[in-house]
Amino acid sequence: MSDPLPIKVIAGLGNPGRDYQNTRHNIGFILADDWVHHLGWKWKRSIRFRGEWSKGILEDQTVSIIKPHTFMNASGKSLHMILKYLKLDPSQLMCIYDDITLPLGRLKLSIGGGDSGHNGVKDIKRLLGNDFTRFRVGVGQKPHPEMDLKDWVLSSFKSDEMKQLEANKAFYRNSIEKVVQTGPVLAMNTINQK
């Protein structure tokens, strides 16, 4: 399996607004903000893409990063617009998002696959197909089986959980850059083993 096209757009998924800032569902926004800050890039509001957008040069190629403001369940609208505008294939998109099937902080990289009940991913698949790369970050399973999934993903990280995620941020940044540098197939070999 080889990467036909390089990753050119990275999407951090989440919900806009202060109420959602440090929730499990917003891990994509959290890591997108961290990466943009680390690179010294700037966010711009984009009416066209319905979100915040930043871009710069990484490894001699132009890379865009976006935080859709369409709310999680309609993430596909924003990503459809940016790919169409930049004339890119869905295989050139990587989405960063929360995964309740993974332990807190664990990272798993994959291409294609199911949506695992994630409504943001479901919407992206509906509009763009299944060929995009998934950068899934574990937010832990519900503490009680009877707890509503929505209540769990919209709950805030506890302070000890935030410390754990903070300690992992350099690894997440390096992993994003590895995907851009080598393509997701090669990156998977190292990222998924750690």
Side-chain angles (χ1 to χ4, degrees):
M1 190 192 233
S2 61
D3 297 325
L5 297 166
I7 296 293
K8 293 280 197 171
V9 176
I10 295 158
L13 305 187
N15 289 309
R18 195 177 296 255
D19 291 347
Y20 301 102
Q21 215 162 12
N22 288 317
T23 61
R24 294 168 200 281
H25 230 13
N26 268 39
I27 192 69
F29 274 21
I30 293 167
L31 297 189
D33 283 333
D34 178 66
W35 197 55
V36 165
H37 175 74
H38 172 73
L39 293 172
W41 296 0
K42 299 287 181 222
W43 287 112
K44 294 183 293 189
R45 295 283 289 202
S46 172
I47 293 168
R48 181 192 296 271
F49 304 143
R50 300 182 193 179
E52 287 179 86
W53 176 46
S54 185
K55 71 173 180 172
I57 304 295
L58 195 69
E59 296 297 313
D60 298 325
Q61 60 176 319
T62 302
V63 177
S64 295
I65 185 160
I66 186 163
K67 294 191 299 183
H69 281 195
T70 47
F71 285 90
M72 181 64 88
N73 294 358
S75 297
K77 288 181 186 176
S78 173
L79 304 184
H80 175 72
M81 292 300 294
I82 193 168
L83 291 181
K84 187 175 173 186
Y85 177 77
L86 296 173
K87 297 181 173 62
L88 296 174
D89 190 82
S91 67
Q92 295 180 276
L93 168 70
M94 179 171 77
C95 295
I96 304 170
Y97 62 92
D98 58 298
D99 190 325
I100 64 160
T101 69
L102 296 173
L104 182 76
R106 174 82 193 275
L107 170 59
K108 185 99 187 264
L109 195 67
S110 59
I111 302 170
D115 55 54
S116 300
H118 194 291
N119 288 329
V121 176
K122 205 175 282 185
D123 192 59
I124 295 165
K125 283 179 67 173
R126 182 178 65 82
L127 289 169
L128 297 174
N130 204 29
D131 292 338
F132 60 95
T133 296
R134 292 104 185 282
F135 190 100
R136 299 182 286 137
V137 181
V139 295
Q141 293 187 343
K142 297 186 294 181
H144 314 291
E146 64 276 7
M147 184 180 192
D148 191 286
L149 179 60
K150 183 181 173 187
D151 292 339
W152 177 240
V153 296
L154 294 180
S155 68
S156 294
F157 288 111
K158 296 177 184 140
S159 60
D160 61 318
E161 292 176 319
M162 282 304 284
K163 281 180 191 163
Q164 187 179 333
L165 292 171
E166 201 66 41
N168 286 354
K169 278 185 177 175
F171 171 60
Y172 300 140
R173 288 195 299 265
N174 291 338
S175 298
I176 292 168
E177 290 179 21
K178 187 178 279 291
V179 173
V180 173
Q181 290 162 2
T182 69
V185 173
L186 285 176
M188 265 185 248
N189 295 332
T190 52
I191 290 169
N192 290 347
Q193 290 172 11
K194 293 186 179 176

